[in-house]
Amino acid sequence: GTELRIATVAPAGSSFHKRLQGLGADWARGPGGLRMNIFPGTQGGELQIVRRMRVGQIHGAMLTSVGLGQIERSVTALQMMPLLFRDWEDVDRVRERLAPELERRLFEAGYVVLFWGDAGWVRYFSRTPIHGIRDFRNLRVYASSGDPESVEMMKDYYRPVVLEPDQILLGLRNGMIDALPIPAFLANFSQVPSYAPYMLDLPWAPVTGALVLTVRAWNQLDPATQAWLRETSLRAGPEMRRASRAEDEQAVQAMRDKQGLKVVPLSAEAERELRHEVGKLYPRIRGGLVPAPMFDAAVDELRNGAGTGS
Amino acid sequence: MALLHRVENLLLAATLAALLACGVTSLLPAWAAADELIRHLTLLTGMLGGMVAARDGQLLAMGAVVQALPHRARVPAGLFTGFVGTAVTALLTLAAWQFVREEVGSGSTLAFGIPRIALQAALPLGFAVITLRLAWRSAAGAGVRLGVLVLAVAGAVVAEHLGADLALARVPLLILLSIATVLGVPIFVVLAGIALIWFLTAGDPVASVPLDHYDQVTNPLLATLPLFTLAGYIVAATGAARRLVRLLRAWSGHLRGGPAVVAVLACTFFTAFTGGSGVTILALGGLLMPILLNSGYRDQSALGLVTGAGSLGVLFAPCLPLILYSIVAQVPMTTMFLGAALPGLLLVVLASAWGIAASPPVARRRRFSWRRARVTTWRAKWELLLPVVPLVLIFGGYALPVPAAALTAAYALLAAAFLNRDLPRGARLLEVVRECGALVGGILLILGAAMGLTNLLITVHVPDRLTEWIGATLESRWLFLLALNLFLLAVGCLMDIFSAIIVIAPLIVPVALAFGMDPVHLGVIVLANLELGYLTPPVGLNLFMSAARFGRPVLTVARASLPMLAVLAVGLLVITAFPQLTLALPRWLGAAGGG
Ligand code: NA
Ligand code: NA
């Protein structure tokens, strides 16, 4: 039968890998016996995986919004909006609202979305406890080199230090950076608490993503197989989201138990102040990091949701 | 033509200078955005250097066979390797063009609004020039050269068009390539050629090969390679070697093997903090070789010592492979650092012991003189500060490896120009820079091509299938350890250390755990094996670096490195057989467990 090469940055044996294997087994049971050839953590970072899909070496990938944003900028509306999403319900609502338009745009760019997923919250890990906006001021904080706009923006709050992802630990160890925003599962995996043992207990932004196939690969499949992939995705999407959300909490717990992580709560007053300060960024994010129409649609959905109460 | 070559040399020097300048300024927070630019300047340096190396016939090749051929067989052999080399690079050019064409649509920019594509274009352009030059060097007559070029390019274009229809031709093509390898086709042609032929005949896009080249060469740490090499070349071109030899004689002239031990320690030290990418040989080799030769070592011993000692730092914190393993294998970093320390020390002691054994006897009893020691130390003070620069910068938390490397090169330049006042000037300086650039270019071509080959192995699942087989077939722990060592040696023969760790570690850790092995012990075995891998052909990074730096055939260097290889193998056996050596320190200091 046909074989599709699917890549992910998640390493072999990780839960993401295992769930892809599960989905692969579902694929194989369908018409045509489609085979999923998984490459866990072996085809490079998200940018590299996108490049490999462009030249046709890889047929699909599980990407976060960072990788998807390289294909279609609008996807950033699901991730690069600090403190706008308060819980998973917010994330789900905005995604449902934006998904049809995002999927249309991704299709135009050459990619078919099979399902959307997420991978926990980005939170701040630091060497010294952060109790409020003032504690940020003098911190040197990791910033991604792929993202000069947000580096520019965060200069008002702390001292961003641009590093490659694989140099984060080196930077933490030799004291170049004091803090970094990172999802819990990744912090746990990379042993971040051994250098930055404090975690600010405030979900900063969700890590969202999707499983995509290139349109080129999609068009090679017969209609029955395409329908089967759609059908398995209906189940796989919610399942993966449920599992990764549970894992987000498990990762924090594991870091507390094994790596001496200390979770630093934020007082209501301090949280209000922080949200107020970071709120000043939104006009710059709108139209900068996140295309304005998508930003407006997301904020509109969040406001309506808050109005109807949930 | 001569004018064109001069322009090319100047362009190469200008690119290196820009890399140096950007590297230094990236220390300033406001210039942090220069990072992407630095990485693409590395790409540009690599392609320009590769072009110059191809022009001057300095591309690294395995072939010592050609020299052994009778004279009348050399012309057809050169024609054959020239044709194979031209055909492979023509295909690589085509593949690079396809890769860059796909990138145009992404429309991304580097720092300062420079479109990424402007520098990515260096890839197909550089390969095209190298194609022309391989055809040029294949024969003497213009007609034959043109014939080779036309035939090779036509062959590449037709093959690319046929793709999977050539499935049956895979084995014959690979055989042709291996004959060309023995006869002396450049190493990067061999590595890229295997990947290109395999992907092509499988119906997969060949563009993945230059894609991997691009990703490898623009890897954020790789800019340290041209920069540290430049620092090494500058120091080697000045009177530093002479001053350091005097210094060494003064301090250890009365001790047998003093220079060898110093060479081993210096290489270990340098590798530990530059990350074990083989750059040690480029940075220190130019100094250590003359020191050892002047101290009366045989050429073979000196070559073997410098080549082999370049990888000894891999087991010492904060060497990058060590950190990488602890992350990939999920072992606490401090435990890994402590666990690797004693095995690392063992290898250093063994290597030093061999160095002492290979030393010339101390000619006449020379008494140690404090005065002489003081004077020679004072005269060499600026050179002695050289390794201190990157160390303080990196460990003091002032800089990451790339700006640290840039500042080291800048320091070497300034110290030679203003403090020691023995920097070569004008055309001589340009020649030093050209040599450095051609060397870096040749190495980057190999590194990029090796990545394409690594990706081929990953794509056809060679590492995972092998691990599965080992786990399923072997029953005793000793058999497993033996198989593991053989497997890792094979891996080390084909892959570079970083991809080997990323690809292999997640696969073998669960298997090793099932055999009751400690993951820290496993990690030390893996790293020690990969250290050996630096010295084993066909992909032995240290062999390439050393061959390039000292202008020797790869096989000569490989032969010279045999004793060192044997010494490391003995150490590896001890490390494998006695887990206590690894586990004692972490247990004693209570860092074991957890994670
Ligand atoms: Na190797
Ligand atoms: Na090797």
Side-chain angles (χ1 to χ4, degrees):
Chain A
T2 327
E3 174 196 280
L4 289 185
R5 292 181 183 154
I6 306 293
T8 164
V9 289
S14 66
S15 56
F16 292 99
H17 178 211
K18 284 176 189 148
R19 273 181 250 126
L20 266 184
Q21 285 174 315
L23 181 64
D26 283 349
W27 281 13
R29 273 194 292 277
L34 185 63
R35 204 170 84 78
M36 188 195 282
N37 187 353
I38 307 172
F39 294 94
T42 52
Q43 297 286 0
E46 299 219 341
L47 278 182
Q48 278 154 285
I49 291 175
V50 170
R51 283 199 191 104
R52 291 185 198 283
M53 287 199 285
R54 265 191 216 129
V55 301
Q57 187 204 358
I58 294 291
H59 306 113
M62 199 150 72
L63 293 173
T64 73
S65 298
V66 175
L68 293 174
Q70 293 292 323
I71 300 169
E72 167 54 49
R73 194 75 173 147
S74 307
V75 185
T76 49
L78 294 177
Q79 182 163 332
M80 299 185 180
M81 318 248 283
L83 297 182
L84 266 174
F85 304 96
R86 289 178 187 243
D87 50 32
W88 288 119
E89 231 170 275
D90 279 354
V91 178
D92 285 339
R93 235 183 14 247
V94 170
R95 176 162 45 216
E96 262 162 50
R97 162 92 174 259
L98 302 189
E101 175 64 11
L102 292 179
E103 286 173 20
R104 193 185 62 74
R105 290 180 180 216
L106 281 166
F107 187 81
E108 267 171 24
Y111 297 84
V112 175
V113 175
L114 287 183
F115 60 81
W116 296 92
D118 35 58
W121 293 95
V122 170
R123 295 183 180 87
Y124 272 90
F125 288 74
S126 51
R127 288 170 178 284
T128 52
I130 297 173
H131 297 292
I133 185 82
R134 269 171 302 275
D135 290 332
F136 269 111
R137 291 278 179 231
N138 288 317
L139 291 187
R140 287 169 299 174
V141 183
Y142 159 76
S144 158
S145 67
D147 197 3
E149 286 164 76
S150 55
V151 173
E152 202 49 47
M153 255 181 238
M154 295 318 279
K155 274 182 184 163
D156 295 347
Y157 300 94
Y158 48 63
R159 292 191 279 164
V161 176
V162 175
L163 296 179
E164 289 306 312
D166 52 3
Q167 295 184 355
I168 292 176
L169 289 166
L170 185 65
L172 270 176
R173 203 184 61 239
N174 76 0
M176 284 200 69
I177 53 175
D178 310 306
L180 73 160
I182 185 176
F185 80 94
L186 201 57
N188 182 29
F189 181 75
S190 329
Q191 305 173 32
V192 165
S194 52
Y195 297 107
Y198 297 96
M199 186 189 89
L200 180 60
D201 194 15
L202 181 69
W204 193 261
V207 180
T208 55
L211 180 67
V212 296
L213 291 185
T214 61
V215 168
R216 231 180 309 182
W218 178 256
N219 288 341
Q220 305 274 311
L221 305 173
D222 56 75
T225 308
Q226 288 178 347
W228 178 248
L229 290 197
R230 289 289 189 204
E231 198 184 321
T232 52
S233 299
L234 286 180
R235 270 174 287 132
E239 221 169 81
M240 281 212 187
R241 292 202 289 270
R242 219 174 10 252
S244 66
R245 289 167 190 190
E247 253 165 47
D248 189 48
E249 280 157 31
Q250 287 158 12
V252 172
Q253 193 55 46
M255 285 187 281
R256 286 174 113 146
D257 294 346
K258 290 181 184 165
Q259 299 181 34
L261 178 76
K262 296 172 199 72
V263 177
V264 183
L266 204 55
S267 73
E269 173 62 24
E271 183 178 335
R272 225 178 354 259
E273 199 185 351
L274 193 63
R275 285 188 185 279
H276 176 73
E277 280 295 321
V278 172
K280 293 177 186 165
L281 281 180
Y282 298 154
R284 288 169 75 182
I285 293 177
R286 180 183 181 275
L289 272 178
V290 180
M294 279 296 159
F295 184 92
D296 292 342
V299 169
D300 180 55
E301 184 60 40
L302 286 170
R303 203 168 288 142
N304 287 343
T308 57
S310 47
Chain B
M1 207 57 132
L3 180 70
L4 197 68
H5 290 181
R6 271 186 69 103
V7 170
E8 208 176 339
N9 293 350
L10 280 171
L11 209 56
L12 178 59
T15 310
L16 267 170
L19 185 61
L20 181 62
C22 281
V24 171
T25 46
S26 73
L27 196 63
L28 311 169
W31 280 74
D35 176 80
E36 281 251 53
L37 193 58
I38 291 173
R39 297 200 259 152
H40 286 80
L41 281 171
T42 311
L43 169 73
L44 205 55
T45 308
M47 293 318 289
L48 277 168
M51 283 159 50
V52 169
R55 178 192 77 198
D56 300 344
Q58 288 178 345
L59 288 174
L60 277 180
M62 291 291 179
V65 174
V66 178
Q67 280 93 332
L69 285 179
H71 202 76
R72 60 191 160 73
R74 283 193 201 171
V75 172
L79 198 62
F80 175 69
T81 55
F83 176 76
V84 171
T86 311
V88 169
T89 45
L91 187 54
L92 198 54
T93 309
L94 194 62
W97 160 246
Q98 289 173 350
F99 161 58
V100 170
R101 197 184 51 197
E102 291 297 326
E103 287 288 302
V104 173
S106 75
S108 73
T109 54
L110 305 171
F112 318 117
I114 302 171
R116 183 188 295 266
I117 193 74
L119 287 163
Q120 282 177 328
L123 222 46
L125 286 176
F127 285 138
V129 172
I130 293 173
T131 307
L132 290 177
R133 286 182 169 159
L134 288 184
W136 179 267
R137 296 187 71 87
S138 67
V144 184
R145 286 169 172 168
L146 191 65
V148 166
L149 182 67
V150 170
L151 275 178
V153 171
V157 171
V158 170
E160 203 280 331
H161 190 71
L162 289 175
D165 292 340
L166 284 173
L168 286 176
R170 177 185 288 170
V171 176
L173 287 175
L174 288 174
I175 290 174
L176 280 184
L177 188 61
S178 47
I179 296 172
T181 309
V182 175
L183 290 177
V185 87
I187 288 165
F188 94 91
V189 168
V190 179
L191 303 175
I194 297 172
L196 285 170
I197 291 172
W198 195 285
F199 281 131
L200 183 87
T201 52
D204 280 322
V206 282
S208 73
V209 178
L211 190 158
D212 275 303
H213 187 107
Y214 173 76
D215 281 337
Q216 169 76 326
V217 173
T218 56
N219 148 341
L221 273 182
L222 216 66
T224 57
L225 194 137
L227 291 170
F228 276 130
T229 307
L230 185 63
Y233 261 91
I234 291 166
V235 174
T238 63
R242 201 169 8 93
R243 291 189 287 273
L244 288 172
V245 170
R246 290 204 186 116
L247 171 83
L248 260 179
R249 285 241 178 89
W251 282 97
S252 64
H254 56 296
L255 299 170
R256 187 181 145 98
V261 174
V262 169
V264 166
L265 293 181
C267 288
T268 304
F269 197 58
F270 197 81
T271 302
F273 78 84
T274 53
S277 55
V279 75
T280 301
I281 294 170
L282 306 186
L284 296 184
L287 272 182
L288 292 176
M289 261 314 257
I291 289 178
L292 290 170
L293 293 177
N294 279 325
S295 309
Y297 284 77
R298 283 174 48 237
D299 183 63
Q300 285 278 304
S301 308
L303 193 59
L305 205 57
V306 174
T307 311
S311 64
L312 288 172
V314 167
L315 287 175
F316 293 97
C319 201
L320 200 58
L322 201 56
I323 295 174
L324 206 55
Y325 177 85
S326 81
I327 291 174
V328 178
Q330 288 287 284
V331 180
M333 235 167 270
T334 41
T335 314
M336 199 62 219
F337 288 173
L338 287 172
L342 287 183
L345 209 58
L346 173 74
L347 293 184
V348 167
V349 168
L350 287 175
S352 303
W354 176 70
I356 293 170
S359 294
V362 180
R364 52 201 151 77
R365 273 192 82 80
R366 202 177 145 164
R367 291 197 28 186
F368 179 76
S369 139
W370 271 112
R371 209 189 75 81
R372 198 164 47 220
R374 215 174 44 238
V375 170
T376 52
T377 306
W378 181 248
R379 287 204 182 127
K381 59 186 176 300
W382 302 123
E383 282 81 46
L384 290 175
L385 271 178
L386 194 73
V388 178
V389 173
L391 273 181
V392 168
L393 287 172
I394 293 176
F395 288 115
Y398 302 106
L400 282 167
V402 172
L407 281 170
T408 308
Y411 169 79
L413 205 59
L414 295 178
F418 299 112
L419 301 173
N420 290 321
R421 293 166 186 276
D422 56 0
L423 184 72
R425 279 155 211 274
R428 270 191 58 223
L429 180 62
L430 198 61
E431 172 55 21
V432 170
V433 175
R434 183 205 66 82
E435 232 177 83
C436 168
L439 174 71
V440 168
I443 300 275
L444 290 187
L445 282 179
I446 292 176
L447 283 179
M451 202 42 112
L453 181 60
T454 295
N455 188 257
L456 166 66
L457 296 178
I458 290 167
T459 303
V460 297
H461 293 288
V462 170
D464 15 348
R465 298 266 154 79
L466 256 174
T467 329
E468 249 168 56
W469 180 84
I470 290 177
T473 319
L474 303 177
E475 275 157 21
S476 91
R477 181 168 159 180
W478 288 106
L479 262 180
F480 167 70
L481 278 176
L482 184 69
L484 179 69
N485 276 319
L486 291 177
F487 170 54
L488 287 170
L489 271 179
V491 166
C493 286
L494 293 172
M495 286 183 171
D496 76 283
I497 194 161
F498 299 110
S499 18
I501 292 170
I502 292 171
V503 173
I504 304 299
L507 299 172
I508 56 171
V509 168
V511 183
L513 287 178
F515 279 105
M517 278 187 71
D518 189 293
V520 177
H521 185 216
L522 177 73
V524 172
I525 293 177
V526 169
L527 291 170
N529 260 298
L530 295 176
E531 263 185 44
L532 257 72
Y534 278 116
L535 297 176
T536 52
V539 184
L541 203 52
N542 282 13
L543 299 180
F544 299 158
M545 301 271 182
S546 193
R549 184 65 183 87
F550 306 119
R552 312 292 175 83
V554 173
L555 289 179
T556 308
V557 179
R559 209 176 315 118
S561 307
L562 278 179
M564 201 64 169
L565 201 58
V567 163
L568 291 177
V570 169
L572 180 61
L573 277 180
V574 176
I575 291 169
T576 309
F578 299 99
Q580 304 90 314
L581 188 68
T582 302
L583 301 176
L585 212 51
R587 282 194 187 137
W588 184 50
L589 292 170

